Amino acid sequence: MGLVRLRIKEFAAKQNWTLKEVSDRSGVPYSTIKTYAVSSGMAMADVTALCKLAKTFNVLIEDLVEIIKE
């Protein structure tokens, strides 16, 4: 199974947003944002959360996700 990393910290930094601000703006719970932001690799992620985050950062889901292991 492959692993992905979400580029939440990178996109938040570009906007000068904290993870809490990302949570408030996206509607994704802070605990989820924090887990996704600090994870070095995940096998699964909530697609609804990914859609909300991509929309919040005004990027494609493909831009938000980095494949680190196929």
Side-chain angles (χ1 to χ4, degrees):
M1 181 176 282
L3 296 176
V4 297
R5 182 183 73 83
L6 300 184
R7 299 170 57 202
I8 295 172
K9 284 185 183 179
E10 180 181 332
F11 284 109
K14 285 181 182 180
Q15 299 291 333
N16 291 317
W17 295 344
T18 65
L19 295 182
K20 177 69 172 123
E21 287 175 303
V22 173
S23 173
D24 292 343
R25 291 171 183 266
S26 67
V28 177
Y30 175 73
S31 59
T32 302
I33 298 285
K34 188 173 177 184
T35 298
Y36 287 176
V38 300
S39 177
S40 60
M42 301 179 303
M44 297 175 60
D46 180 338
V47 174
T48 303
L50 294 180
C51 289
K52 289 179 179 180
L53 289 167
K55 189 177 288 190
T56 299
F57 292 125
N58 197 31
V59 298
L60 300 172
I61 290 176
E62 292 86 354
D63 296 331
L64 187 62
V65 175
E66 177 184 0
I67 298 173
I68 56 174
K69 179 182 175 188
E70 291 189 29

